Amino acid sequence: MSSEPTMRAITQDSLGGPEVLRLADLPRPRPIPTEVQVRVHAAGVNPVDWKSRESGGIAGLLGAPPFVLGWDVSGVVTEVGFGVHTLKVGDEVYGMPWFPRPAAAYAEYVTAPSRQFALKPRTVGHETAAAVPLAGLTAWQSLVDAAGVEAGQRVLIHAAAGGVGHLAVQFAKHLGAHVIGTASAAKHDWLRELGADEVVDYTRVRFEDVVSDVDVVIDLVGEAQDATTTRSLQTLRPGGTIVAVPSGVAPEVLEGARARGLNATAFLVEPDGAALSRIAGLIDEGVVRVEVADVLPLAEAGEAQRRVREGRTRGKIVLSVTD
């Protein structure tokens, strides 16, 4: 019998619905030089998780099953590899390691380069911290790096009440923007509490009929849903920018943007420990609030993904890995 240490993890042997996910004992990963091993306390659940479960991941980067899903983690450093100077055993950290390569976050342990993690926010627990990395980095990088949002600009955020959207609203407000969000009416008061200056009920009106002179659109919905990306071009002022997050920019959309004197760019989030440190500071200062819709045990990963797939949650769904 092997004496190698094991861990609990959610794995799958085939592509398909939530029923393909199963709890199993797998070998525990060990860090190589420049990496740390993290005992995972909580793992965030994102749309990319269920999409990968069904179709094999971003451009097939996960390869064929079996594999372990998940990228968002919050936990404690349990081992450090040679050359690590930024973290030590016992540090509480959070991160989105390896994305878009597999990180295997639905597990009790992960290993990754130390600089893909950051010290987690001091003022929140692991379950809240695990809700932040992928959503927070997507929001931050799309606003700051892709769009270069500046104070005084008008920013339209689609799906403003979602995991990425509710953080994007707060980041944009922190950057000094006038923030407009689209969401169902039941979430409008909450979004205003988070800093939205205007909120549009996309179920009642066409947003392009009531929103104009926008400098930046953060499109978290995509062209596949009611041509949201194309319709958003109508809201932008000349020289404005749309960042298309979920589905990229189709050639015809790019052509339409250029014809109007607009900028259109695709986006994919990257691991970024430095940005996570900045975000942790905003959380600890009370500038940013993180909404966790529900916390489920690791064994209920399938149910968690089902809820995320429905797209009706306010904020994020998180898995508790220490139950």
Side-chain angles (χ1 to χ4, degrees):
M1 181 178 295
S2 173
S3 60
E4 289 294 317
T6 62
M7 64 178 182
R8 294 184 309 142
I10 295 292
T11 188
Q12 63 183 90
D13 299 315
S14 61
L15 303 178
E19 69 279 356
V20 303
L21 300 178
R22 63 182 180 88
L23 189 63
D25 289 328
L26 298 179
R28 186 182 304 178
R30 295 291 305 278
I32 64 173
T34 74
E35 291 186 350
V36 294
Q37 180 193 72
V38 174
R39 171 63 168 96
V40 180
H41 285 232
V45 182
N46 297 286
V48 68
D49 300 355
W50 66 258
K51 293 176 183 178
S52 298
R53 184 202 71 225
E54 291 184 352
S55 60
I58 300 173
L61 290 176
L62 294 182
F67 50 66
V68 176
L69 293 170
W71 283 271
D72 276 342
V73 298
S74 182
V76 178
V77 175
T78 46
E79 189 175 347
V80 298
F82 175 80
V84 173
H85 299 286
T86 57
L87 297 173
K88 65 183 184 301
V89 171
D91 281 344
E92 294 188 318
V93 297
Y94 76 143
M96 183 200 71
W98 294 117
F99 191 87
R101 295 183 182 273
Y106 289 9
E108 291 181 311
Y109 290 87
V110 299
T111 56
S114 62
R115 293 177 188 270
Q116 293 187 2
F117 293 98
L119 295 177
K120 84 167 185 64
R122 301 184 309 275
T123 55
V124 300
H126 287 292
E127 292 169 350
T128 299
V132 175
L134 193 148
L137 288 175
T138 299
W140 184 264
Q141 292 172 4
S142 61
L143 288 162
V144 175
D145 301 327
V149 169
E150 298 177 351
Q153 290 187 321
R154 289 168 57 83
V155 176
L156 170 62
I157 299 169
H158 289 305
V164 176
H166 86 288
L167 295 174
V169 165
Q170 296 174 83
F171 293 158
K173 195 64 180 178
H174 170 69
L175 294 168
H178 179 93
V179 182
I180 308 162
T182 63
S184 59
K187 299 168 184 174
H188 285 196
D189 287 345
W190 174 62
L191 286 172
R192 290 190 182 95
E193 290 176 9
L194 296 182
D197 297 287
E198 301 177 44
V199 191
V200 177
D201 183 356
Y202 69 94
T203 69
R204 289 183 170 270
V205 298
R206 304 284 283 183
F207 63 82
E208 67 270 30
D209 291 339
V210 295
V211 179
S212 61
D213 294 324
V214 168
D215 295 284
V216 173
V217 175
I218 303 298
D219 178 12
L220 303 173
V221 175
E223 183 70 1
Q225 295 191 41
D226 202 20
T228 297
T229 310
T230 296
R231 291 165 51 209
S232 295
L233 299 180
Q234 300 177 43
T235 70
L236 285 164
R237 59 179 50 161
T241 297
I242 182 167
V243 181
V245 176
S247 55
V249 181
E252 58 272 20
V253 176
L254 182 59
E255 183 178 344
R258 288 173 175 169
R260 293 170 178 260
L262 306 173
N263 305 301
T265 181
F267 176 85
L268 188 63
V269 66
E270 301 177 61
D272 189 344
L276 284 174
S277 293
R278 178 78 179 274
I279 292 168
L282 294 176
I283 293 171
D284 286 338
E285 293 165 15
V287 174
V288 170
R289 293 158 46 188
V290 182
E291 183 78 4
V292 176
D294 203 358
V295 178
L296 301 177
L298 180 64
E300 295 184 24
E303 171 62 15
Q305 288 187 9
R306 185 192 66 77
R307 295 188 192 181
V308 172
R309 197 184 197 289
E310 287 181 348
R312 297 173 183 169
T313 58
R314 195 177 92 169
K316 292 287 295 290
I317 301 287
V318 173
L319 296 173
S320 175
V321 185
T322 54
D323 289 348

